[in-house]
Amino acid sequence: MTTPKRRLPVMADVAREAGVSHQTVSRVLNHHPNVRADTRARVEEAITRLGYRRNLVARALVTKRSRTLGVVSFDTTLYGPASTIYGIEQAARTAGYFVSIVSLKSIDTDNVRDAIGYLTEQGVDGVVVVAPQRSAWRALDNLPSGMPAVAVEGMHNACVPVVCIDQVQGARLATRHLLDQGHETVWHVTGPTDWLETEGRIAGWRAVLEEAGRPVPEPLAGDWSPRAGYEAGKSLAAMKGVTAIFTANDQMALGVLRALSEKGVRVPDDISVVGFDDIPESEFFSPPLTTVRQDFAAVGRQCIEVLLRQIDMGPATAERLVVPPGFVVRSSTAPAR
Amino acid sequence: MTTPKRRLPVMADVAREAGVSHQTVSRVLNHHPNVRADTRARVEEAITRLGYRRNLVARALVTKRSRTLGVVSFDTTLYGPASTIYGIEQAARTAGYFVSIVSLKSIDTDNVRDAIGYLTEQGVDGVVVVAPQRSAWRALDNLPSGMPAVAVEGMHNACVPVVCIDQVQGARLATRHLLDQGHETVWHVTGPTDWLETEGRIAGWRAVLEEAGRPVPEPLAGDWSPRAGYEAGKSLAAMKGVTAIFTANDQMALGVLRALSEKGVRVPDDISVVGFDDIPESEFFSPPLTTVRQDFAAVGRQCIEVLLRQIDMGPATAERLVVPPGFVVRSSTAPAR
DNA sequence: CCGCAAGATGTGCTCGGTCATATGCCCCTC
DNA sequence: GAGGGGCATATGACCGAGCACATCTTGCGG
């Protein structure tokens, strides 16, 4: 038996089936209290009998609420963004929201602006921007008016609230730990320029060194990739007097470890290494990596919280929620000899 | 001048501004050819002047096309799913589609069914299911009728097309490589039970051993995590006669490497190790990991291709698109002594 | 036994687009 | 010069829900 183009059932069909008006069906669906129990039962039965599913698109049109949140992100393959988005999605769904994602493969102001534009057309109730680059940040200056938004790891800004992990503090923790171990100074392999995290981590690292009156070595430029860490590691292995390295993320730390091991430099005996992120692999590096832990799930949750508050109660003051970093000591650091 | 609750402009506003009917505005927006050039220009100017953005929700209501695709996935923090979804999102956006994601933290038939249900209500034009577990797979048996769908790494099934990487072939490549190096047999650390990849990889590994008439050791159960690999590695290090290990993914390989190194077992001198996935880190493990490469981006692209074909041309025959795995030889394998 | 408030249900309009169709217009041909 | 075809544009219905309001019940106090 072919079903010749049978249209999906709509509210009116359910209403007819249950012998009530479409409005009553709507009430049942929305758990409105003022419906008699037996009527409710009749409607519910009609719903299951017909296999009716409500059309959220039609609902969104009239309520002007799509219960969908937009996420704009850069390279969702990276552990940080992926984890943050996971946290966002979980929190959003718990709150009854869908998540629509746009992941950009290159970041510039126009890209981000366009992405936000698409999401706006699509009718999202709010946007989370996970694009912690200066260039991306500029796109937030002129958001579509009235669009609730929140940024992950952004700069302070008059209009958009920010949820972030305290990068400076994380870098301080790492650097201080190394100084406390008796190292004279700490070398730093940075993230890509333009990233705010990169800047924060450099700032924290530099601040600790300067406060302690230590020499501040020229940082080595990286790009988050293990390969960049590997290249930096080769350079550092060839230099004299390097005893402590702080890399801006764990993947680069892995590259550094690899390079050092190839050069016959022992970690932590000859050189101590600290990373940033605490990816699941770090614990099993050779040696297990001492690193700064970021609670991405918490960031995701906070984002949704801030965003929903804006959606429900109107524009918020541009707050800045800071999630403190943790520090995990493993075996890649040791006292200086 | 405050703008007191100014509603966003709609088509009618643009029409009035440009002195045409709303239908003409619609034609301009949809690039309908039959619009005089100067009219078009007038409309476009009105659009920019008013900052008008079309409301895709209203459009979706009447066209019954939301230009949104749903993705149901398990733990998008894992490298495989994350990469696949990235590929899906890129391909979808290129084709003018949005992607709405539901990522499940635990997989069972009901979960997946619910997720698909939510997405259906939300009006997605099709669904990609990235949940390669037997239990998830069962949820695909009774999809909402007429909903285009495609599964990543699924079993063969009458109703849903599948895009997958040839797991069996990948495992064969890995195992054969080790046998070719002169190893008597190969030990295997598996993924979690219930995962189809786990089964495929076991099958490929077992087949090669049996074809070569080699003993088939009892596989060690893992769960993709580095820790599971570490535990398995400790067991294997304690056993006699182990010279070659094939782990079902790279993260577990990392754990194995760590455990072996702790026990003073040298890789590849004493034991050879092969992984699966080729995550960006693998190249920088100690030693760099020989592994099976999966082209997740290709999988994502194929998914969208298959899905869009279904959306445009009606239900497809349940095809099965197989992406061949690659094999990357690095330094974690060596001839048996 | 009536009145009235609260509860239960129904009616018709609205959201902002697209679709089918109608209309006006110009130009070309016989 | 009338008829016809194609183009440019306008008109009104419609998608499937929710909302405001109208209407019909019901229960309870006086």
Side-chain angles (χ1 to χ4, degrees):
Chain A
M1 163 191 109
T2 53
T3 43
K5 196 69 169 71
R6 192 180 50 197
R7 169 183 60 92
L8 291 171
V10 300
M11 228 180 215
D13 300 323
V14 177
R16 197 175 320 112
E17 181 83 8
V20 296
S21 76
H22 70 105
Q23 177 59 5
T24 302
V25 178
S26 172
R27 287 202 185 87
V28 171
L29 252 28
N30 295 313
H31 306 103
H32 190 96
N34 294 351
V35 179
R36 225 192 308 144
D38 63 324
T39 308
R40 182 186 307 278
R42 241 182 21 257
V43 170
E44 273 164 356
E45 197 203 308
I47 288 177
T48 55
R49 189 163 29 197
L50 263 49
Y52 167 76
R53 309 220 60 145
R54 111 169 89 185
N55 183 331
L56 292 184
V57 173
R59 190 240 247 301
L61 178 59
V62 47
T63 59
K64 297 176 182 318
R65 287 291 193 80
S66 62
R67 296 199 77 83
T68 297
L69 266 22
V71 175
V72 181
S73 173
F74 174 73
D75 193 352
T76 47
T77 286
L78 294 171
Y79 180 74
S83 305
T84 307
I85 290 177
Y86 185 71
I88 289 173
E89 201 277 334
Q90 297 293 319
R93 192 143 45 81
T94 305
Y97 279 78
F98 291 93
V99 170
S100 198
I101 293 193
V102 176
S103 62
L104 272 12
K105 72 183 114 202
S106 81
I107 287 281
D108 61 69
T109 311
D110 290 342
N111 265 350
V112 177
R113 214 194 304 275
D114 286 354
I116 295 177
Y118 295 142
L119 291 169
T120 306
E121 280 191 343
Q122 204 212 9
V124 296
D125 296 342
V127 201
V128 183
V129 180
V130 190
Q133 286 93 342
R134 281 196 176 280
S135 42
W137 191 247
R138 255 175 267 127
L140 297 183
D141 282 339
N142 44 359
L143 274 172
S145 75
M147 172 63 76
V150 57
V152 173
E153 297 297 344
M155 304 184 261
H156 199 64
N157 171 304
C159 34
V160 182
V162 171
V163 176
C164 61
I165 290 171
D166 192 335
Q167 303 296 334
V168 176
Q169 175 60 14
R172 295 185 84 103
L173 254 27
T175 313
R176 171 132 310 284
H177 169 77
L178 290 166
L179 292 191
D180 286 350
Q181 301 269 39
H183 295 279
E184 165 65 14
T185 189
V186 177
W187 294 72
H188 182 45
V189 183
T190 75
T193 46
D194 191 46
W195 284 60
L196 299 169
E197 277 108 326
T198 299
E199 299 177 10
R201 292 172 198 178
I202 291 175
W205 160 76
R206 187 186 301 274
V208 168
L209 292 184
E210 285 174 351
E211 282 161 23
R214 304 301 170 83
V216 180
E218 188 62 24
L220 287 83
D223 62 4
W224 303 139
S225 76
R227 174 159 304 282
Y230 180 71
E231 299 300 337
K234 281 202 294 193
S235 307
L236 289 164
M239 291 163 65
K240 276 279 161 229
V242 176
T243 69
I245 305 174
F246 164 46
T247 61
N249 76 342
D250 286 0
Q251 295 207 358
M252 293 196 298
L254 178 65
V256 167
L257 292 179
R258 178 73 207 139
L260 296 183
S261 134
E262 277 181 12
K263 297 288 181 188
V265 179
R266 291 164 307 162
V267 176
D269 315 70
D270 301 325
I271 295 187
S272 289
V273 176
V274 175
F276 208 115
D277 277 355
D278 194 28
I279 63 177
E281 288 88 349
S282 307
E283 189 179 350
F284 299 92
F285 284 179
S286 299
L289 190 68
T290 295
T291 189
V292 178
R293 169 171 293 161
Q294 307 203 71
D295 189 349
F296 295 110
V299 171
R301 263 181 276 121
Q302 299 269 21
C303 281
I304 295 304
E305 208 170 289
V306 172
L307 201 51
L308 294 188
R309 202 181 314 140
Q310 269 185 80
I311 292 172
D312 294 336
M313 330 207 305
T317 56
E319 52 193 328
R320 185 180 179 85
L321 272 162
V322 180
V323 177
F327 194 68
V328 188
V329 179
R330 300 208 179 94
S331 325
S332 64
T333 50
R337 280 169 313 176
Chain B
M1 163 189 110
T2 54
T3 43
K5 193 73 170 70
R6 194 180 49 195
R7 171 184 58 92
L8 290 171
V10 300
M11 227 178 217
D13 301 322
V14 177
R16 197 176 320 113
E17 180 84 8
V20 298
S21 77
H22 66 110
Q23 175 60 3
T24 301
V25 178
S26 174
R27 286 205 188 85
V28 170
L29 252 27
N30 295 313
H31 305 104
H32 190 97
N34 293 353
V35 179
R36 226 189 309 141
D38 62 324
T39 309
R40 182 187 307 278
R42 245 186 14 260
V43 170
E44 274 163 356
E45 197 203 307
I47 288 178
T48 55
R49 188 164 31 197
L50 263 49
Y52 168 76
R53 307 220 62 146
R54 111 170 84 185
N55 182 330
L56 292 184
V57 173
R59 192 241 248 299
L61 178 58
V62 46
T63 58
K64 297 177 181 317
R65 288 291 194 80
S66 63
R67 296 198 78 82
T68 297
L69 267 20
V71 175
V72 180
S73 173
F74 174 74
D75 193 351
T76 46
T77 286
L78 294 171
Y79 180 73
S83 305
T84 307
I85 290 177
Y86 186 71
I88 288 173
E89 201 277 334
Q90 297 293 319
R93 193 143 42 83
T94 305
Y97 280 78
F98 292 93
V99 170
S100 198
I101 293 193
V102 176
S103 61
L104 273 10
K105 73 184 115 203
S106 80
I107 287 282
D108 61 68
T109 310
D110 289 343
N111 264 349
V112 177
R113 213 195 303 278
D114 286 353
I116 295 177
Y118 295 141
L119 290 169
T120 307
E121 281 190 343
Q122 203 211 11
V124 296
D125 296 342
V127 201
V128 184
V129 180
V130 190
Q133 287 95 340
R134 281 196 174 283
S135 42
W137 190 246
R138 254 176 265 127
L140 296 182
D141 282 340
N142 44 0
L143 273 172
S145 75
M147 171 64 75
V150 58
V152 174
E153 297 298 342
M155 304 183 261
H156 199 65
N157 172 305
C159 34
V160 182
V162 171
V163 176
C164 61
I165 289 172
D166 191 335
Q167 304 295 335
V168 176
Q169 176 60 14
R172 293 187 84 105
L173 253 28
T175 313
R176 172 130 308 284
H177 169 77
L178 289 166
L179 292 191
D180 286 349
Q181 300 270 39
H183 296 279
E184 166 66 14
T185 188
V186 177
W187 294 73
H188 181 45
V189 183
T190 74
T193 46
D194 192 45
W195 284 61
L196 299 169
E197 278 107 324
T198 299
E199 299 177 10
R201 292 171 199 179
I202 291 175
W205 160 76
R206 186 184 302 275
V208 168
L209 291 185
E210 285 175 352
E211 282 162 22
R214 305 301 171 82
V216 181
E218 188 64 22
L220 287 83
D223 62 3
W224 303 140
S225 76
R227 174 159 305 282
Y230 179 72
E231 300 300 338
K234 281 202 295 194
S235 307
L236 289 165
M239 292 163 65
K240 276 278 162 231
V242 177
T243 68
I245 305 173
F246 164 46
T247 62
N249 77 342
D250 285 359
Q251 294 206 357
M252 293 197 296
L254 177 64
V256 167
L257 293 179
R258 178 72 207 138
L260 296 182
S261 135
E262 278 181 12
K263 298 288 182 186
V265 178
R266 291 163 307 161
V267 176
D269 315 68
D270 302 324
I271 295 186
S272 288
V273 176
V274 175
F276 208 114
D277 277 355
D278 195 28
I279 62 177
E281 288 88 348
S282 308
E283 190 180 349
F284 299 91
F285 285 178
S286 300
L289 190 68
T290 294
T291 190
V292 178
R293 169 172 294 160
Q294 307 203 71
D295 189 348
F296 295 110
V299 171
R301 264 181 276 120
Q302 300 268 21
C303 282
I304 295 305
E305 208 170 289
V306 172
L307 201 52
L308 294 187
R309 203 182 312 140
Q310 268 185 81
I311 291 172
D312 294 337
M313 331 207 306
T317 56
E319 51 192 328
R320 185 179 178 85
L321 272 161
V322 181
V323 177
F327 194 68
V328 188
V329 179
R330 299 208 180 94
S331 325
S332 65
T333 52
R337 281 170 313 178

